[in-house]
């Protein structure tokens, strides 16, 4: 380390981070020389807890992995279980799931846009966007009864129907959202101070984006056409016409624009679904104590932040033998270190925020001994014992 | 024997327009800034303490005074403790050189404008010392940024402030204010076409100076888009990061008085200070004009995103410095014409 360099810790607690995570930023004056990431401050042992719960109880646990993309997690989980059980859900339920998921994407992207504005010190835009985000929050409350954990998808279908009178209200809300989002797009394209802070900042070339396995809007902002909804359609996405938004700026501005355009695209998807929703039942009733036949299933969903993977393995019992979650943030987090290098300290918050990190989704724990390349996983109890012992020896 | 005059003088220093008035006026200005800023952002702003939250800044101050005061072990304790006092004292000193209750300030001498500009530079140095002395990494970066920022806005600020002084042929604030009043009444007595044209020309050149000075004051006050030294989301409050309790309270109060001092300077240099066309008390004119300036500053900070330090320096040297040189050229021409 040169004499002029020093390390600035960003996190585990930092105003730019909404969740605990630690970035070690090595700086020389205002320049960032190197960056390193430490994860695991938010580990809650959800995967382990799943193993001691029935499939239906697991649904509620899965929903609570993340407060923002809760619908993406439940959709992915239910898809997984239904596939294992060989259960075909009613067509109307599929449409309702898509509507909830897209409304959730709108809410998540608007939330992120506000945060991005806050990170570059543009608080006025932050407050305006969050005010308009209330519209979509109200719509979600209207159809599900909840603002945050919608609990719409359930094993076998959805929990609530969308009656015709609500359809009109959703359409009205969509009009407001479309108008406001178009205004923000105009503003973002024309406001010079945003371009000052976004153009050429946090560059991730398409080559790096592929090599570092980025997913979702981050990859699409680097010009990579990847979207689970189009590549491997689930639910009814193969029937819905929509565009995969890509920008090739590879920088923060592109990441902002990708998300703004995706909001507009989602609004159109919601409208299409409302118009083309078939009548019929909304769920197939399954027993809460059902057994899932022996199976091994992987399910993919395009969460607001990117590709979300749920893997479940059943050995024919009432509880999963193993359930694994790979959240999109885990795919994107390595790219952050690459984006940070060569930038300024002032760019650190917006670059970290640029991937829309959701650490409560991402934190899983496994150990790797760097010297011997040995890998192992500990249970909570083992980890606790190790911790107690370590402190006894070292204090 | 204590003469009445002495009592009045002491009263002026301690009460009006001295310490007590200035402190409460500064808190009021903070409230105006916060409330107006909040309304611009579609928020409500302070609401619960007093009428529409008018006492909120005072409540914040009292709360901070009661909080625990921590000095980091590694910090230079002398520097760490002195800086808040300096940052509180300097803007107060400046306020005594600004005419408030009449065309003449409490302390007024030929060249006090230079002293004021020097005092403003001194605040920046103290901020740098605060960041450096607290020995925090964020504080160090914040302190560095403050001094870097000063290097870029100080020249346009000085040039903009000197413009009216050249026209008034006086380097004292009171002299400048008196000249503004004089030329106004001269024009009113003898409104010819030539004097009207000259007046419009002068006003438009000085409006340019006002713009430049306002931008520099945004940087001096560390407001968006130039809040780079404290940038909450980047360096967690920058140079202020280690301050708490009484010291932070003093820093915040000092910041409020600085806001008032900046708007008072804008008022006296360009808006005629406590003088006005209608016969209402001069102090009221002064209050109205400074509140207007505070609102201009709040409005500007609601409009932009934060600059990065390199962009800010670039922008200042490439745009604002040439502009201010052009402005001083126009002023010189005007002075020759007159």
């Amino acid at each position: 380390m040169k004499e002029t360099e020093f390390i600035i810790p960003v996190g585990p607690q930092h105003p730019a981070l909404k969740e605990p995570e630690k970035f070690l930023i090595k700086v020389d004056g205002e320049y960032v020389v190197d960056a390193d990431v430490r994860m695991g401050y938010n580990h809650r042992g959800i995967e382990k807890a799943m193993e001691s719960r029935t499939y239906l109880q697991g649904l509620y646990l899965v929903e609570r992995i993340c407060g923002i993309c809760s619908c993406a997690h439940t959709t992915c989980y239910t898809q997984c279980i239904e596939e294992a059980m060989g259960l075909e859900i009613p067509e109307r339920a599929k449409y309702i799931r898509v509507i909830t998921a897209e409304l959730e994407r709108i809410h998540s992207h608007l939330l992120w846009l506000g945060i991005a504005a806050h990170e570059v010190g543009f608080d006025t835009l932050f407050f305006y966007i969050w005010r308009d985000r209330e519209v979509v929050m109200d719509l979600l409350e209207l159809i599900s009864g909840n603002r945050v954990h919608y609990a719409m998808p359930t094993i076998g279908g959805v929990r609530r129907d969308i009656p015709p009178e609500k359809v009109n209200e959703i359409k009205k809300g969509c009009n407001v959202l479309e108008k406001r989002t178009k205004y923000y797009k105009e503003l973002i394209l024309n406001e010079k101070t945003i371009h000052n802070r976004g153009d050429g900042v946090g560059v991730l070339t398409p080559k790096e984006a592929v090599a570092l396995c980025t997913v979702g809007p981050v990859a699409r902002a680097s010009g990579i056409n990847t979207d689970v909804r189009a590549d491997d359609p689930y639910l009814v996405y193969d029937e819905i016409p929509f565009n995969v938004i890509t920008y090739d700026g590879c920088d923060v501005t592109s990441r902002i624009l990708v998300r703004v355009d995706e909001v507009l695209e989602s609004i159109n998807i919601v409208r299409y679904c409302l118009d083309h929703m078939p009548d019929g039942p909304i769920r197939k009733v399954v027993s809460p104590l059902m057994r899932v036949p022996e199976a091994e299933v992987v399910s993919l969903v395009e969460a607001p932040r990117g590709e979300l993977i749920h893997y479940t393995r059943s050995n024919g019992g009432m509880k999963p033998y193993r359930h694994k979650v790979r959240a999109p943030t885990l795919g994107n987090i390595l790219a952050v270190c690459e984006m940070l290098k060569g930038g300024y300290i002032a760019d650190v918050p917006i670059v970290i925020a640029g991937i829309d990190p959701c650490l409560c989704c991402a934190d899983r724990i496994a150990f790797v001994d760097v010297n011997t390349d040995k890998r192992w996983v500990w249970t909570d109890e083992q980890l606790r014992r190790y911790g107690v012992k370590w402190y006894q020896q070292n204090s | 024997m204590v003469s009445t005059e002495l009592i009045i003088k002491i009263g002026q220093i301690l009460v009006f327009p001295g310490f007590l008035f200035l402190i409460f006026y500064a808190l009021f200005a903070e409230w105006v800034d916060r409330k107006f800023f909040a309304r611009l952002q579609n928020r409500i702003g302070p609401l619960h303490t007093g009428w529409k939250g008018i006492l909120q800044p005072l409540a914040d101050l009292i709360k901070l005074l009661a909080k625990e005061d921590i000095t980091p072990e590694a910090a230079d304790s002398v520097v760490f403790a002195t800086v808040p006092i300096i940052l509180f004292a300097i803007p107060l000193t400046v306020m005594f050189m600004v005419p408030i209750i009449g065309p003449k300030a409490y302390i007024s001498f030929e060249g006090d404008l230079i002293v004021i500009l020097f005092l403003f530079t001194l605040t920046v140095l103290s901020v740098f010392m605060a960041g450096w002395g607290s020995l925090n990494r964020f504080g160090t970066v914040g302190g560095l940024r403050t001094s870097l920022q000063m290097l870029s806005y100080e020249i346009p600020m000085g040039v903009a402030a000197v413009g009216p002084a050249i026209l008034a042929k006086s380097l004292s604030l009171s002299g400048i204010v008196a000249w503004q009043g004089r030329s106004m009444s001269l024009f009113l007595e003898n409104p010819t076409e030539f004097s009207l044209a000259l007046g419009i020309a002068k006003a438009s050149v000085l409006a340019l100076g006002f713009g430049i000075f306002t931008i520099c004051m945004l940087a001096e006050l560390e407001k968006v888009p130039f809040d780079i030294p404290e940038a909450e989301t980047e360096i967690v409050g920058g140079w202020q990061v280690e301050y708490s309790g009484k010291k932070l309270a003093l820093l915040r109060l000092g910041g409020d008085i600085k806001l008032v001092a900046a708007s008072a300077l804008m008022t006296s240099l360009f808006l005629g200070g406590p003088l006005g066309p209608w016969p209402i008390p001069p102090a009221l004119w002064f209050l109205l004009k400074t509140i207007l300036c505070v609102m201009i500053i709040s409005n500007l900070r609601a409009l932009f995103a934060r600059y990065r330090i390199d962009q800010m320096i670039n922008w200042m040297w490439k745009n604002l410095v040439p502009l201010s040189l052009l402005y001083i050229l126009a002023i010189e021409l005007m002075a020759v014409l007159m």
Side-chain angles (χ1 to χ4, degrees), chain A residues 200 203-204 221-223 247-252 254:
Chain A
V203 173
L204 186 74
S222 289
Y247 274 83
D248 48 12
C250 309
D251 54 7
V252 168
S254 299

Side-chain angles (χ1 to χ4, degrees), chain A residues 195-266:
Chain A
H195 285 277
N196 277 343
R197 297 300 305 274
D199 289 357
V201 169
V203 173
L204 186 74
T205 58
K207 209 175 149 196
E208 284 170 339
V210 174
L212 293 167
C213 304
T214 53
V215 290
V218 179
R220 291 198 283 275
S222 289
I224 292 164
N225 190 330
T226 162
D227 190 325
V228 182
R229 291 176 292 172
D231 302 340
D232 183 10
Y234 53 98
L235 297 175
V236 283
Y237 279 111
D238 46 351
E239 295 168 19
I240 303 168
F242 71 98
N243 302 320
V244 177
I245 311 287
T246 56
Y247 274 83
D248 48 12
C250 309
D251 54 7
V252 168
T253 314
S254 299
R255 278 165 220 147
I256 295 176
L257 288 171
V258 162
R259 287 181 173 104
V260 174
D261 280 351
E262 278 184 14
V263 170
L264 294 171
E265 206 60 40
S266 292

Side-chain angles (χ1 to χ4, degrees), chain A residues 7-9 14-16 30 118-124 127-128 131 193 196-197 201 344-347 349, chain B residues 37 40-43 137-138 141 145 224 232-236 302-311:
Chain A
I7 291 177
I8 288 193
H14 188 276
E30 282 275 333
H118 176 61
E119 304 297 8
V120 297
F122 201 167
D123 279 348
T124 312
F127 285 114
Y128 271 66
R131 181 198 63 189
T193 39
N196 277 343
R197 297 300 305 274
V201 169
Y344 293 85
I345 298 178
D347 297 332
Chain B
F37 187 50
L40 287 177
Q41 293 187 337
N42 227 300
R43 291 184 290 126
R137 294 171 206 206
F138 296 114
V141 175
R145 284 180 173 192
V224 177
E232 184 228 340
T233 45
E234 292 161 20
I235 47 171
V236 215
L303 275 181
F304 299 109
R306 187 187 307 121
Y307 272 92
R308 221 163 51 200
I309 185 81
D310 60 313
Q311 290 168 344

Side-chain angles (χ1 to χ4, degrees), chain B residues 24-324:
Chain B
F24 279 97
Y25 184 52
L27 293 173
F28 175 68
E30 188 196 331
W31 175 76
V32 171
D33 178 45
R34 277 167 73 171
K35 196 81 183 169
F36 188 57
F37 187 50
R39 293 312 297 155
L40 287 177
Q41 293 187 337
N42 227 300
R43 291 184 290 126
I44 292 165
L47 190 64
H48 290 294
T49 330
W51 177 77
K52 290 195 187 285
I54 197 166
L55 294 176
Q56 192 60 49
L58 184 66
D60 289 350
L61 185 76
I62 293 167
K63 183 203 79 177
L64 276 179
L65 284 175
K67 289 262 176 184
E68 189 188 2
D69 188 2
I70 303 164
T71 306
E73 231 169 68
D76 185 334
S77 57
V78 178
V79 174
F80 194 74
T82 346
V83 166
I85 301 169
I86 298 178
L87 284 180
F88 175 67
I90 288 177
L92 264 183
T93 319
V94 171
M95 282 310 285
F96 275 96
M97 299 184 197
V98 175
I100 299 176
I101 46 170
K104 201 161 161 41
Y106 194 81
I107 307 170
S108 166
F109 51 89
E110 199 53 43
D112 59 9
L113 186 62
I114 305 285
V115 176
I116 289 173
L117 291 178
F118 166 72
L119 285 174
F120 267 100
T121 311
L122 212 58
T123 59
V124 175
L125 285 180
S126 332
V127 165
F128 175 72
M129 293 300 286
W132 203 256
S134 61
L135 216 75
N136 180 298
R137 294 171 206 206
F138 296 114
T140 313
V141 175
L144 275 174
R145 284 180 173 192
T146 313
S147 38
L148 269 174
Q149 191 161 299
M150 181 193 76
L151 291 180
S152 54
Y153 73 76
E154 214 195 6
I155 291 173
M157 180 177 87
V159 169
V162 154
I166 292 175
L167 287 179
K169 300 195 175 60
S170 160
L171 264 178
S172 107
L173 267 189
S174 307
I176 292 168
V177 168
W179 164 76
Q180 283 170 341
R182 222 166 41 234
S183 44
M184 186 52 123
S185 49
L186 260 178
F187 170 70
L188 288 178
E189 275 166 24
N190 183 21
T192 60
E193 262 177 37
F194 174 72
S195 65
L196 182 68
L198 190 69
I200 289 175
K202 260 194 287 190
S204 42
V205 172
L206 284 178
L208 176 65
F210 183 70
I212 297 172
F213 197 72
T214 311
I215 293 170
C216 296
M217 278 298 130
L218 276 180
E220 173 72 47
L221 292 167
E222 298 178 357
K223 300 267 186 204
V224 177
F226 304 125
D227 64 333
I228 308 163
E230 25 192 279
E232 184 228 340
T233 45
E234 292 161 20
I235 47 171
V236 215
W239 58 275
Q240 291 181 357
V241 70
E242 287 292 354
Y243 281 95
S244 57
K246 288 192 282 291
K247 296 196 183 84
L248 186 60
L250 219 53
L251 278 180
R252 286 185 53 122
L253 188 60
D256 291 346
I257 300 177
K258 205 166 149 193
L259 174 66
V260 171
S263 41
L265 269 187
M266 283 157 72
T267 310
S268 329
L269 284 172
F270 299 97
L271 303 179
L275 307 173
W278 298 293
I280 51 175
L284 210 59
W285 268 120
F286 176 81
L287 294 189
L288 282 177
K289 285 176 183 176
T290 41
I291 287 298
L292 180 75
C293 290
V294 168
M295 282 164 104
I296 291 175
I297 289 172
S298 327
N299 192 2
L300 284 176
R301 81 187 176 105
L303 275 181
F304 299 109
R306 187 187 307 121
Y307 272 92
R308 221 163 51 200
I309 185 81
D310 60 313
Q311 290 168 344
M312 185 256 186
I313 295 174
N314 235 330
W315 186 82
M316 285 276 184
W317 279 99
K318 278 185 184 157
N319 301 334
L320 211 60
V321 173
L323 199 67
S324 63

